Amino acid sequence: MDWMLEGLLQGTQFQKLYNRKIEELRKTYNLRKVDVDILYFLFKSGEHNTSKDICDLNLFNKGHISQSVGRMVRQQVIYIVQDQEDRRCMHIMLTDRAVEIVEKITALREQMYNIILKGVTDEERHVLLQVSRKVNANVKDALGNLEILS
């Protein structure tokens, strides 16, 4: 396989660019990368705002999520609300400060996408989206099969 394609599929170059883009923001707000990613997820996820929802993405383990949530509660970036129907379920909510941070994250991500998709036509973007959905589905399927075999 072409090494450039392999790097793209592994996300190494993308992660390097993303980490550079968010570094100043992380320092300004005293956040870790996991915090930034969780804030962005919560902003985009709507009512899917529990630790379990974050864990289901398979981006972080339960320990990292728990530590991050605790840290951000202490920093008053997020707060926890108990579910009215299922008292065991806790919803993670963004404070106004978090919304300000997420707006900056969103702007940085937009800049990053403009950089990496420079010169890519609308038709090519459409094909890229279709291919990435298939690749994602294949990876998800393979992970599911691994769990069954374990």
Side-chain angles (χ1 to χ4, degrees):
M1 179 177 290
D2 179 78
W3 68 269
M4 288 174 53
L5 177 58
E6 195 167 316
L8 181 64
L9 290 174
Q10 292 176 7
T12 51
Q13 294 296 87
F14 181 84
Q15 280 302 316
K16 192 183 294 184
L17 177 62
Y18 179 65
N19 289 338
R20 284 185 186 165
K21 285 286 184 191
I22 65 168
E23 185 63 29
E24 185 177 324
L25 180 117
R26 288 181 50 235
K27 287 180 183 176
T28 300
Y29 292 100
N30 192 29
L31 297 170
R32 296 186 179 162
K33 182 184 178 303
V34 64
D35 303 339
V36 171
D37 292 341
I38 288 173
L39 288 175
Y40 188 72
F41 169 80
L42 292 170
F43 180 74
K44 293 295 224 175
S45 68
E47 62 188 44
H48 300 286
N49 57 2
T50 67
S51 291
K52 182 184 181 323
D53 293 325
I54 298 167
C55 195
D56 286 347
L57 288 177
N58 294 321
L59 297 176
F60 312 107
N61 65 40
K62 290 178 185 179
H64 285 125
I65 294 167
S66 178
Q67 288 177 355
S68 177
V69 167
R71 186 173 43 254
M72 289 192 290
V73 166
R74 287 189 297 278
Q75 292 175 316
Q76 299 180 340
V77 176
I78 59 173
Y79 60 99
I80 307 296
V81 176
Q82 191 172 39
D83 191 282
Q84 296 299 313
E85 295 174 19
D86 183 354
R87 313 228 1 110
R88 298 169 298 170
C89 182
M90 301 292 181
H91 296 278
I92 306 168
M93 310 299 287
L94 299 175
T95 63
D96 290 341
R97 183 170 183 237
V99 172
E100 171 189 322
I101 294 168
V102 172
E103 287 172 353
K104 292 179 181 182
I105 295 168
T106 303
L108 288 172
R109 290 176 74 95
E110 186 69 30
Q111 287 175 7
M112 190 176 68
Y113 292 136
N114 287 337
I115 290 168
I116 65 174
L117 295 174
K118 183 174 72 178
V120 178
T121 67
D122 288 340
E123 182 181 338
E124 291 168 330
R125 288 178 190 217
H126 180 72
V127 170
L128 178 62
L129 183 61
Q130 288 179 311
V131 170
S132 64
R133 285 182 176 149
K134 288 179 182 179
V135 169
N136 249 345
N138 291 341
V139 170
K140 190 174 183 178
D141 184 50
L143 286 171
N145 288 336
L146 286 176
E147 290 173 7
I148 291 170
L149 296 174
S150 298

